[in-house]
Amino acid sequence: MSQRKTTSTEMTIVNQRTAPPQAEERSKAIPILECPPELSPVARQEWERIVAELIAKGVLSRFDRGALALYCTAYALAMEAAELVHKNGPIITSPNGYPQQSPYLSHFNQQVATMMRIATEFGFTPASRSRIFSWEQKNSLLIENVHEREGNKSPW
């Protein structure tokens, strides 16, 4: 017969520090921002795709609803323009017979630029994601964490 192993008091303390969050913490209801009714179906799909994850990451609040709606609208317009570029091609023939850039391509580029500006604010790009942190999660770049790693020795 095998005997049950006992843990020391020190081991119990270590396990408590590294234990995963309790069930109550994990089951906290995350409030979901309501999608603005004026968004198109494609913009609504994009909203539904990203809003829950942004809230879970702690980078979205109710104040960001307008900016996120603009991002989703720009996404929907970009996808519509991309479809028209695929259908008609990036180069069209002018009334004089000369080739010129499709106005749909220009529109697509403008919407993508808008999306990228807003995306950096929400941390959708790898570079911007490294600068954004959640108040609920510790950021490795915060001074408090540097002090913790160095045994609370202040460099100043």
Side-chain angles (χ1 to χ4, degrees):
M1 280 200 256
S2 65
Q3 292 182 349
R4 184 176 171 196
K5 294 181 181 180
T6 58
T7 60
S8 68
T9 308
E10 292 175 11
M11 198 59 179
T12 304
I13 292 170
V14 170
N15 286 341
Q16 288 174 352
R17 284 188 207 145
T18 59
Q22 298 301 323
E24 304 96 38
E25 292 176 22
R26 284 181 287 183
S27 66
K28 284 183 189 175
I30 298 173
I32 303 295
L33 287 180
E34 196 173 313
C35 184
E38 60 273 5
L39 293 184
S40 70
V42 175
R44 284 179 166 279
Q45 285 179 336
E46 182 66 3
W47 177 281
E48 297 298 327
R49 186 182 74 82
I50 61 179
V51 74
E53 187 168 341
L54 287 173
I55 291 173
K57 297 270 186 213
V59 296
L60 188 66
S61 73
R62 66 176 187 250
F63 300 113
D64 300 322
R65 185 174 182 242
L68 189 59
L70 292 175
Y71 172 84
C72 293
T73 300
Y75 172 83
L77 292 172
M79 293 305 103
E80 184 179 328
E83 186 177 312
L84 291 168
V85 168
H86 288 297
K87 181 180 176 184
N88 300 315
I91 305 294
I92 61 169
T93 306
S94 72
N96 296 338
Y98 294 104
Q100 68 179 30
Q101 179 178 309
S102 169
Y104 300 125
L105 183 59
S106 176
H107 180 67
F108 173 79
N109 289 334
Q110 289 173 342
Q111 297 308 318
V112 169
T114 300
M115 286 174 55
M116 291 306 293
R117 282 193 306 274
I118 298 171
T120 57
E121 296 295 322
F122 285 114
F124 294 171
T125 63
S128 65
R129 199 169 18 256
S130 68
R131 293 187 303 266
I132 294 179
F133 65 92
S134 167
W135 290 107
E136 298 166 358
Q137 300 171 353
K138 289 190 175 181
N139 183 353
S140 62
L141 299 177
L142 291 177
I143 286 294
E144 291 84 17
N145 289 344
V146 172
H147 294 318
E148 286 175 8
R149 280 189 247 135
E150 295 175 353
N152 292 329
K153 295 178 188 174
S154 176
W156 290 276

